[in-house]
Amino acid sequence: MRFIGCKENLLDFIETFVREKDLKGNVFCDLFTGTGSVAKHFKKLGYKIISSDILYFSYVLQKVYIEQNQYSGFVKLLKHLKTDPVDETLFTSDGQNAKEIVKHLNNLEGVEGFIYKNYSPEGTHNKTHVRKYFTGDNAKRIDAIREKIEEWKKPNLINKQEYYFLLASLIEAVPFVANISGTYAAFLKEWDKRAFKKLTLEAPEIIKSNEAHKVFNIDGLRVLDQIKGIDILYLDPPYNERQYAPNYHILETIAKWDNPEIKGVTGMRPYENQKSEFCNAKTGIKAFNEIIKKNNFRHLLLSYNDEGIMPEIEILKLFKNSGKSEVVEQDYQRYKSNSNGEKKNGVKEKIYYLKRVNQQNLLNDLSGGEWVYFLNSVEVTHYSTKGADGFAHHLRGKHPSPKPPQLMKKFIDFFTKEGQIVFDPFMGVGGALIACSLSNRKGIGVDLSKEYIDLYKKVCKELNISEQTAITGNSFEIEKLLPKNTQIDFILTDPPYGEMLSKKRTGQKKKKTGIAVATPFTNHETDLGNMEREIFLESLKDIIAKSAKYLKPKGYIAIFVKDLQPNGNGHNMLHCTITSKLLEIPGLFFKGYKIWYDATQKLYPFGYPHAFVANLEPWHEADTLEEMSDREKI
């Protein structure tokens, strides 16, 4: 239905922001829900919805689309109607009962009631104000249907759920025959062709869900007093000085059916108790501050645009004192309310994002739930190397073992706060540095290969993300590459593991393709990927020790390690060997490991049907992400 500020065309923009920011949680609260388009969308996505609006007709819609998870049976009413010789229909299937009741309402004869007498030219003909909101026929149909719903309610022939369902059906049908330009603040002098259509109800489509949703018809601040543990708080308040209640006064009257005292040319009902503080810049900022101070949400999203009356500088000032914030925007083409598609000026639709920061959390910006989630022993991923999830893998895949930026981001988000510095002494094509850009951190990377660094820069351009500091050089000489006063907050790296890639292929890749050539990272003698095992271990120890000198006190180091295929001469747990070697560095302590399980990888029946052989392809069998083994230690 037509509604000021409806976000129907911006749902993808809002959902994309939530997904890209990886906003965890289950409870989505919409405090200015209006017609409920955003709340309905996120209900479909599986969230538990809390919604509210001070308009009663909005509450009616919420009671149906948000609170109801299945169709009502209308059992008592059906038994009543079955005794009526006019209607002998037997109702059975899911949703069909409701549709037949709506059909029954559509077949009613019109009556001259409140809407006819006050909002049609026939009914107001002998009065001071002749109002042309509806044709006489449609006004009488509205009256007949609304009276019948009340008639069924009083003897409890319908329950509350069924009552709201039928009201919502009527409320949604009215705008399609109203002689208005978009709101009910005024009617058109000449009849719009839509006004001559016959009022026809349709059954609302119920969104099925297993969650217990809750809706309110009260001021948003009072909702926040009653509801705790909100994960995503979504706000879409009025943008200008136009109050919503007078713009939708007829829908309010139809919803409440309270025979109000009306006045003026438009037959306005009283609305003093339904005024929004957000229709004034000063009171709006004050109310917004009160919402933030409630402090019972993890993420706040404010939908607003560059024509909104609350100054952006004031919004950001509130955010600055409450957590970390961000603003994203999208071009949005406005339309005149009755222009037949004629475009008006475009505006910038914005999302102001605030994440509550736990001031006691000294390590990162995560909530307790997000912290616990990261502590899972196994990190299972299903990252594709194609499309958006691939992060330009067609370029990054030219490196023998590029790591998914999404995976690197999870470690960066856990071990650092926004704006801190992450260092990767073996950056390759920059998986960690890309993750820094995604997480609003500062990244520094070093690699021997200018070719790989150039690829990283091409990836940044293609993805339209900021480049981090990428240095072509040898990490053995890190003290020459980094300024002496550099302080690193976190070291995250994926080093070469000795001669794995510099050896000829022997496994599945060779069997499939017949290709046995080696794929070393580079041809440099000082490349760890060209070193025998013992020299590699000492070299890795040397580079990590030099890097650690730049690490802040109590800082963390995370290293990707790929275990080997057993060969009968000892254990294959390279992660144990590397850990033991790095513990020779003074001041370095082992804190634990996670297993990365790449669920996109194939498993092979090695040894079948004679002997057990672990699914651990030697790393030198891999030249793309898809071909890597399915488990790694971190």
Side-chain angles (χ1 to χ4, degrees), residues 507-508 511 564-568 572 602-618 629-631:
Q508 285 296 314
K511 292 177 183 178
L564 309 170
Q565 191 69 272
N567 59 14
N572 68 322
K602 295 180 180 179
L603 297 178
Y604 296 96
F606 297 137
Y608 177 83
H610 303 293
F612 168 73
V613 178
N615 252 278
L616 285 172
E617 276 280 293
S629 162
D630 63 334
R631 286 176 291 275

Side-chain angles (χ1 to χ4, degrees), residues 478-489 545-552:
I478 190 172
E479 64 277 0
K480 297 180 181 179
L481 303 176
L482 298 182
K484 291 183 180 180
N485 61 348
T486 302
Q487 185 178 64
I488 296 167
D489 297 286
K546 290 177 178 177
S547 301
K549 292 180 181 180
Y550 294 86
L551 190 64
K552 70 179 181 182

Side-chain angles (χ1 to χ4, degrees), residues 499-507 519 618-622:
E499 72 284 13
M500 281 187 182
L501 291 177
S502 60
K503 289 184 176 181
K504 291 183 178 182
R505 300 172 183 272
T506 60
T519 56
W619 194 307
H620 61 270
E621 293 299 312

Side-chain angles (χ1 to χ4, degrees), residues 452-471:
Y452 292 150
I453 290 179
D454 288 343
L455 282 171
Y456 160 71
K457 293 180 179 180
K458 288 182 180 179
V459 169
C460 290
K461 289 181 180 179
E462 181 165 316
L463 299 178
N464 194 28
I465 60 174
S466 59
E467 285 185 18
Q468 303 291 340
T469 302
I471 303 170

